[in-house]
Short mmCIF file of all heavy atoms in Angstrom, two decimals:
data_model
loop_
_atom_site.label_atom_id
_atom_site.label_comp_id
_atom_site.label_asym_id
_atom_site.label_seq_id
_atom_site.Cartn_x
_atom_site.Cartn_y
_atom_site.Cartn_z
N VAL A 1 14.42 3.71 6.91
CA VAL A 1 14.31 4.91 5.99
C VAL A 1 12.87 5.28 5.87
O VAL A 1 12.01 4.36 5.42
CB VAL A 1 15.02 4.65 4.72
CG1 VAL A 1 14.89 5.89 3.82
CG2 VAL A 1 16.45 4.19 4.82
N PHE A 2 12.58 6.54 6.07
CA PHE A 2 11.16 6.99 5.94
C PHE A 2 10.92 7.73 4.68
O PHE A 2 11.92 8.17 4.01
CB PHE A 2 10.82 7.92 7.14
CG PHE A 2 10.90 7.28 8.53
CD1 PHE A 2 12.01 7.50 9.33
CD2 PHE A 2 9.90 6.41 8.97
CE1 PHE A 2 12.17 6.86 10.48
CE2 PHE A 2 10.01 5.91 10.19
CZ PHE A 2 11.08 6.09 10.99
N GLN A 3 9.65 8.01 4.33
CA GLN A 3 9.31 8.76 3.14
C GLN A 3 9.86 10.20 3.28
O GLN A 3 10.27 10.77 2.29
CB GLN A 3 7.79 8.76 3.04
CG GLN A 3 7.26 9.67 1.98
CD GLN A 3 5.80 9.73 1.95
OE1 GLN A 3 5.08 8.87 2.52
NE2 GLN A 3 5.19 10.71 1.36
N SER A 4 9.91 10.76 4.51
CA SER A 4 10.22 12.16 4.65
C SER A 4 11.71 12.47 4.79
O SER A 4 12.04 13.59 5.23
CB SER A 4 9.43 12.66 5.89
OG SER A 4 9.84 11.92 7.04
N TYR A 5 12.57 11.45 4.64
CA TYR A 5 14.10 11.59 4.74
C TYR A 5 14.53 11.71 6.20
O TYR A 5 15.39 11.02 6.60
CB TYR A 5 14.61 12.74 3.94
CG TYR A 5 14.07 13.03 2.61
CD1 TYR A 5 13.73 14.28 2.11
CD2 TYR A 5 13.70 11.89 1.68
CE1 TYR A 5 13.15 14.51 0.88
CE2 TYR A 5 13.20 12.18 0.43
CZ TYR A 5 12.85 13.38 0.07
OH TYR A 5 12.34 13.63 -1.10
N ALA A 6 13.85 12.64 6.98
CA ALA A 6 14.19 12.87 8.37
C ALA A 6 15.66 13.16 8.68
O ALA A 6 16.25 12.67 9.66
CB ALA A 6 13.68 11.67 9.22
N LEU A 7 16.33 13.93 7.75
CA LEU A 7 17.68 14.37 7.97
C LEU A 7 17.73 15.58 8.93
O LEU A 7 16.83 16.38 8.97
CB LEU A 7 18.35 14.74 6.69
CG LEU A 7 18.48 13.55 5.59
CD1 LEU A 7 19.07 14.04 4.37
CD2 LEU A 7 19.26 12.34 6.17
N PHE A 8 18.85 15.61 9.62
CA PHE A 8 19.09 16.86 10.49
C PHE A 8 19.45 18.06 9.64
O PHE A 8 20.49 18.08 8.87
CB PHE A 8 20.18 16.65 11.50
CG PHE A 8 19.92 15.56 12.44
CD1 PHE A 8 20.64 14.36 12.49
CD2 PHE A 8 18.81 15.64 13.39
CE1 PHE A 8 20.37 13.36 13.33
CE2 PHE A 8 18.55 14.68 14.29
CZ PHE A 8 19.35 13.53 14.30
N PRO A 9 18.57 19.13 9.47
CA PRO A 9 18.86 20.21 8.56
C PRO A 9 20.19 20.97 8.85
O PRO A 9 20.69 21.67 7.97
CB PRO A 9 17.62 21.08 8.78
CG PRO A 9 17.08 20.78 10.01
CD PRO A 9 17.40 19.34 10.31
N ASN A 10 20.56 21.00 10.13
CA ASN A 10 21.84 21.80 10.57
C ASN A 10 23.05 21.03 10.40
O ASN A 10 24.12 21.59 10.76
CB ASN A 10 21.54 22.32 12.03
CG ASN A 10 21.42 21.18 13.01
OD1 ASN A 10 20.78 20.15 12.66
ND2 ASN A 10 21.96 21.25 14.16
N LEU A 11 23.02 19.81 10.00
CA LEU A 11 24.21 18.95 9.76
C LEU A 11 24.46 18.74 8.34
O LEU A 11 23.50 18.55 7.54
CB LEU A 11 24.11 17.65 10.51
CG LEU A 11 23.89 17.68 11.99
CD1 LEU A 11 23.82 16.21 12.59
CD2 LEU A 11 25.01 18.41 12.71
N THR A 12 25.77 18.61 7.92
CA THR A 12 26.08 18.31 6.56
C THR A 12 25.65 16.83 6.30
O THR A 12 25.35 16.11 7.19
CB THR A 12 27.64 18.36 6.28
OG1 THR A 12 28.27 17.43 7.08
CG2 THR A 12 28.07 19.82 6.55
N ALA A 13 25.68 16.44 4.99
CA ALA A 13 25.38 15.07 4.65
C ALA A 13 26.26 14.11 5.34
O ALA A 13 25.84 13.01 5.85
CB ALA A 13 25.37 14.94 3.14
N PHE A 14 27.55 14.44 5.33
CA PHE A 14 28.53 13.61 5.98
C PHE A 14 28.17 13.41 7.59
O PHE A 14 28.18 12.28 7.98
CB PHE A 14 29.93 14.23 5.91
CG PHE A 14 31.04 13.34 6.54
CD1 PHE A 14 31.70 12.47 5.73
CD2 PHE A 14 31.29 13.38 7.91
CE1 PHE A 14 32.67 11.59 6.28
CE2 PHE A 14 32.27 12.64 8.50
CZ PHE A 14 33.07 11.74 7.76
N GLU A 15 27.82 14.51 8.18
CA GLU A 15 27.50 14.36 9.62
C GLU A 15 26.20 13.77 9.88
O GLU A 15 26.12 13.09 10.94
CB GLU A 15 27.64 15.77 10.26
CG GLU A 15 29.02 16.41 10.43
CD GLU A 15 29.94 15.54 11.27
OE1 GLU A 15 29.47 14.90 12.21
OE2 GLU A 15 31.20 15.48 10.99
N ASN A 16 25.31 13.87 9.01
CA ASN A 16 24.09 13.13 9.12
C ASN A 16 24.26 11.61 9.17
O ASN A 16 23.71 10.85 9.96
CB ASN A 16 23.07 13.47 8.00
CG ASN A 16 22.00 14.51 8.42
OD1 ASN A 16 21.15 14.25 9.08
ND2 ASN A 16 22.31 15.76 7.97
N VAL A 17 25.18 11.10 8.31
CA VAL A 17 25.51 9.72 8.25
C VAL A 17 26.40 9.34 9.42
O VAL A 17 26.23 8.23 9.92
CB VAL A 17 26.17 9.35 6.83
CG1 VAL A 17 26.65 7.91 6.87
CG2 VAL A 17 25.28 9.74 5.64
N ALA A 18 27.25 10.16 9.81
CA ALA A 18 28.21 9.90 10.89
C ALA A 18 27.58 9.92 12.25
O ALA A 18 28.09 9.41 13.25
CB ALA A 18 29.37 10.74 10.89
N TYR A 19 26.37 10.53 12.33
CA TYR A 19 25.75 10.79 13.60
C TYR A 19 25.67 9.71 14.60
O TYR A 19 26.06 9.80 15.78
CB TYR A 19 24.36 11.47 13.46
CG TYR A 19 23.66 11.96 14.67
CD1 TYR A 19 23.91 13.19 15.23
CD2 TYR A 19 22.80 11.21 15.36
CE1 TYR A 19 23.32 13.63 16.36
CE2 TYR A 19 22.18 11.55 16.51
CZ TYR A 19 22.42 12.77 17.03
OH TYR A 19 21.84 13.23 18.12
N GLY A 20 25.17 8.60 14.08
CA GLY A 20 25.05 7.38 14.95
C GLY A 20 26.39 6.80 15.38
O GLY A 20 26.39 6.17 16.50
N LEU A 21 27.39 7.07 14.60
CA LEU A 21 28.66 6.47 15.00
C LEU A 21 29.44 7.26 16.01
O LEU A 21 30.30 6.80 16.80
CB LEU A 21 29.60 6.33 13.79
CG LEU A 21 29.06 5.49 12.64
CD1 LEU A 21 30.09 5.53 11.43
CD2 LEU A 21 28.89 4.06 13.14
N ARG A 22 29.00 8.62 16.14
CA ARG A 22 29.68 9.52 17.14
C ARG A 22 29.44 9.03 18.54
O ARG A 22 30.26 9.35 19.48
CB ARG A 22 29.19 10.87 16.96
CG ARG A 22 29.42 11.59 15.60
CD ARG A 22 30.87 11.88 15.39
NE ARG A 22 31.04 12.70 14.13
CZ ARG A 22 32.30 12.77 13.56
NH1 ARG A 22 33.35 12.11 14.07
NH2 ARG A 22 32.41 13.45 12.48
N ASN A 23 28.33 8.43 18.82
CA ASN A 23 28.01 7.97 20.21
C ASN A 23 28.75 6.64 20.55
O ASN A 23 28.58 6.17 21.75
CB ASN A 23 26.46 7.76 20.28
CG ASN A 23 25.76 9.12 20.11
OD1 ASN A 23 26.14 10.14 20.55
ND2 ASN A 23 24.57 8.97 19.52
N LYS A 24 29.46 6.05 19.64
CA LYS A 24 30.12 4.81 19.97
C LYS A 24 31.62 5.18 20.08
O LYS A 24 32.08 6.22 19.70
CB LYS A 24 29.95 3.86 18.82
CG LYS A 24 28.53 3.36 18.64
CD LYS A 24 28.33 2.34 17.53
CE LYS A 24 26.96 1.84 17.51
NZ LYS A 24 26.81 0.72 16.47
N LYS A 25 32.29 4.32 20.70
CA LYS A 25 33.79 4.43 20.86
C LYS A 25 34.57 4.18 19.65
O LYS A 25 35.32 3.09 19.60
CB LYS A 25 34.27 3.62 22.13
CG LYS A 25 33.60 4.12 23.38
CD LYS A 25 34.11 3.27 24.57
CE LYS A 25 33.53 3.78 25.91
NZ LYS A 25 33.92 2.97 27.04
N ILE A 26 34.37 4.91 18.59
CA ILE A 26 35.07 4.77 17.33
C ILE A 26 35.85 6.00 17.10
O ILE A 26 35.45 7.09 17.26
CB ILE A 26 34.03 4.55 16.21
CG1 ILE A 26 33.17 3.35 16.49
CG2 ILE A 26 34.73 4.34 14.86
CD1 ILE A 26 32.00 3.08 15.52
N SER A 27 37.05 5.76 16.70
CA SER A 27 37.96 6.97 16.49
C SER A 27 37.50 7.76 15.23
O SER A 27 36.83 7.27 14.33
CB SER A 27 39.44 6.46 16.17
OG SER A 27 39.46 5.78 14.86
N SER A 28 37.87 9.05 15.28
CA SER A 28 37.41 9.96 14.18
C SER A 28 37.95 9.42 12.84
O SER A 28 37.29 9.63 11.84
CB SER A 28 37.90 11.38 14.50
OG SER A 28 37.26 11.84 15.57
N LYS A 29 39.17 8.89 12.86
CA LYS A 29 39.72 8.33 11.59
C LYS A 29 38.93 7.25 11.08
O LYS A 29 38.67 7.12 9.85
CB LYS A 29 41.15 7.88 11.92
CG LYS A 29 41.96 7.37 10.68
CD LYS A 29 43.28 6.94 11.02
CE LYS A 29 44.04 6.42 9.76
NZ LYS A 29 45.46 5.93 10.07
N ASN A 30 38.49 6.33 11.95
CA ASN A 30 37.68 5.14 11.54
C ASN A 30 36.27 5.61 10.99
O ASN A 30 35.69 5.02 10.09
CB ASN A 30 37.54 4.17 12.56
CG ASN A 30 38.86 3.27 12.73
OD1 ASN A 30 39.66 3.25 11.86
ND2 ASN A 30 38.96 2.62 13.92
N ILE A 31 35.70 6.62 11.76
CA ILE A 31 34.43 7.12 11.34
C ILE A 31 34.50 7.73 10.01
O ILE A 31 33.64 7.46 9.12
CB ILE A 31 33.90 8.16 12.33
CG1 ILE A 31 33.54 7.54 13.67
CG2 ILE A 31 32.73 8.96 11.72
CD1 ILE A 31 33.04 8.50 14.75
N PHE A 32 35.53 8.54 9.70
CA PHE A 32 35.77 9.10 8.39
C PHE A 32 35.85 8.03 7.24
O PHE A 32 35.19 8.07 6.25
CB PHE A 32 36.99 9.95 8.37
CG PHE A 32 37.16 10.59 6.93
CD1 PHE A 32 36.56 11.84 6.68
CD2 PHE A 32 37.99 9.95 6.06
CE1 PHE A 32 36.70 12.43 5.45
CE2 PHE A 32 38.14 10.55 4.76
CZ PHE A 32 37.50 11.78 4.49
N SER A 33 36.65 6.93 7.61
CA SER A 33 36.75 5.84 6.66
C SER A 33 35.51 5.15 6.37
O SER A 33 35.10 4.87 5.18
CB SER A 33 37.85 4.93 7.17
OG SER A 33 37.93 3.82 6.25
N ILE A 34 34.75 4.80 7.46
CA ILE A 34 33.44 4.15 7.27
C ILE A 34 32.46 5.00 6.53
O ILE A 34 31.73 4.52 5.56
CB ILE A 34 32.88 3.80 8.65
CG1 ILE A 34 33.78 2.68 9.39
CG2 ILE A 34 31.41 3.16 8.56
CD1 ILE A 34 33.41 2.55 10.83
N VAL A 35 32.28 6.26 6.86
CA VAL A 35 31.28 7.13 6.21
C VAL A 35 31.72 7.41 4.78
O VAL A 35 30.85 7.42 3.93
CB VAL A 35 31.12 8.47 6.98
CG1 VAL A 35 30.12 9.36 6.32
CG2 VAL A 35 30.57 8.13 8.43
N ASP A 36 32.99 7.53 4.59
CA ASP A 36 33.52 7.74 3.21
C ASP A 36 33.13 6.63 2.27
O ASP A 36 32.66 6.83 1.11
CB ASP A 36 34.99 7.98 3.21
CG ASP A 36 35.54 8.51 1.93
OD1 ASP A 36 35.05 9.55 1.47
OD2 ASP A 36 36.40 7.91 1.29
N GLU A 37 33.18 5.40 2.74
CA GLU A 37 32.84 4.22 1.99
C GLU A 37 31.32 4.20 1.72
O GLU A 37 30.99 3.78 0.62
CB GLU A 37 33.25 2.96 2.76
CG GLU A 37 34.76 2.59 2.66
CD GLU A 37 35.21 2.45 1.23
OE1 GLU A 37 34.63 1.67 0.45
OE2 GLU A 37 36.18 3.02 0.82
N MET A 38 30.56 4.63 2.65
CA MET A 38 29.09 4.67 2.48
C MET A 38 28.76 5.68 1.38
O MET A 38 27.90 5.30 0.57
CB MET A 38 28.35 5.12 3.77
CG MET A 38 28.47 4.06 4.93
SD MET A 38 27.74 2.50 4.51
CE MET A 38 26.11 2.83 3.91
N PHE A 39 29.43 6.85 1.35
CA PHE A 39 29.13 7.76 0.26
C PHE A 39 29.60 7.29 -1.09
O PHE A 39 28.94 7.56 -2.11
CB PHE A 39 29.74 9.08 0.58
CG PHE A 39 28.94 9.97 1.43
CD1 PHE A 39 29.06 9.95 2.84
CD2 PHE A 39 28.05 10.85 0.89
CE1 PHE A 39 28.23 10.70 3.65
CE2 PHE A 39 27.21 11.61 1.70
CZ PHE A 39 27.29 11.55 3.08
N LYS A 40 30.63 6.49 -1.03
CA LYS A 40 31.03 5.81 -2.35
C LYS A 40 29.98 4.83 -2.83
O LYS A 40 29.64 4.74 -4.03
CB LYS A 40 32.34 5.05 -2.20
CG LYS A 40 33.61 6.06 -2.10
CD LYS A 40 34.89 5.27 -1.94
CE LYS A 40 36.02 6.21 -1.73
NZ LYS A 40 37.30 5.45 -1.41
N MET A 41 29.37 4.11 -1.88
CA MET A 41 28.43 3.14 -2.15
C MET A 41 27.15 3.66 -2.74
O MET A 41 26.52 3.18 -3.62
CB MET A 41 28.12 2.28 -0.91
CG MET A 41 27.14 1.07 -1.21
SD MET A 41 26.79 0.09 0.28
CE MET A 41 25.78 1.28 1.15
N ILE A 42 26.79 4.91 -2.23
CA ILE A 42 25.53 5.45 -2.74
C ILE A 42 25.83 6.48 -3.91
O ILE A 42 24.91 7.23 -4.31
CB ILE A 42 24.73 6.24 -1.67
CG1 ILE A 42 25.63 7.40 -1.06
CG2 ILE A 42 24.35 5.30 -0.52
CD1 ILE A 42 24.89 8.35 -0.11
N ASN A 43 27.06 6.42 -4.37
CA ASN A 43 27.43 7.31 -5.47
C ASN A 43 27.21 8.84 -5.27
O ASN A 43 26.66 9.54 -6.08
CB ASN A 43 26.78 6.84 -6.81
CG ASN A 43 27.22 5.56 -7.21
OD1 ASN A 43 28.40 5.20 -7.19
ND2 ASN A 43 26.30 4.68 -7.84
N LEU A 44 27.62 9.30 -4.09
CA LEU A 44 27.35 10.67 -3.72
C LEU A 44 28.58 11.28 -2.96
O LEU A 44 28.35 12.14 -2.18
CB LEU A 44 26.07 10.65 -2.87
CG LEU A 44 25.17 11.95 -2.93
CD1 LEU A 44 24.66 12.14 -4.33
CD2 LEU A 44 23.99 11.79 -1.93
N SER A 45 29.75 10.87 -3.31
CA SER A 45 30.94 11.36 -2.58
C SER A 45 31.10 12.87 -2.70
O SER A 45 31.65 13.53 -1.80
CB SER A 45 32.20 10.68 -3.22
OG SER A 45 32.13 9.29 -2.87
N ASP A 46 30.57 13.45 -3.82
CA ASP A 46 30.84 14.86 -3.98
C ASP A 46 29.86 15.72 -3.19
O ASP A 46 29.89 16.99 -3.16
CB ASP A 46 30.75 15.30 -5.46
CG ASP A 46 29.43 14.96 -6.04
OD1 ASP A 46 28.60 14.20 -5.48
OD2 ASP A 46 29.10 15.41 -7.17
N ALA A 47 29.02 15.12 -2.42
CA ALA A 47 27.92 15.81 -1.69
C ALA A 47 28.08 15.81 -0.08
O ALA A 47 27.20 16.23 0.58
CB ALA A 47 26.49 15.30 -2.05
N LYS A 48 29.23 15.22 0.27
CA LYS A 48 29.46 15.05 1.66
C LYS A 48 29.35 16.37 2.49
O LYS A 48 28.90 16.37 3.63
CB LYS A 48 30.80 14.41 1.94
CG LYS A 48 30.83 12.96 1.57
CD LYS A 48 32.13 12.28 1.92
CE LYS A 48 33.17 12.71 0.94
NZ LYS A 48 34.43 11.90 1.17
#
């Protein structure tokens, strides 16, 4: 994690977090579940 955030401006918060998982052989359902849990952990579920 850098000082400058380095988020992709053209992607939603959800897609920014999911980006690295998209290149792996993980189903969309599992990606949604994993990323959803991450947003719960950072207390930001309403910002996905």
Side-chain angles (χ1 to χ4, degrees):
V1 178
F2 299 99
Q3 175 185 339
S4 60
Y5 321 137
L7 298 177
F8 297 115
N10 59 323
L11 299 181
T12 64
F14 183 94
E15 287 302 327
N16 263 282
V17 176
Y19 184 83
L21 299 177
R22 298 287 187 201
N23 297 324
K24 298 185 175 182
K25 293 179 180 179
I26 301 174
S27 68
S28 294
K29 183 179 179 181
N30 284 342
I31 288 176
F32 180 87
S33 177
I34 293 167
V35 175
D36 193 55
E37 284 301 310
M38 290 302 304
F39 274 90
K40 288 178 183 175
M41 186 180 68
I42 64 170
N43 293 323
L44 212 59
S45 293
D46 61 345
K48 286 184 287 189

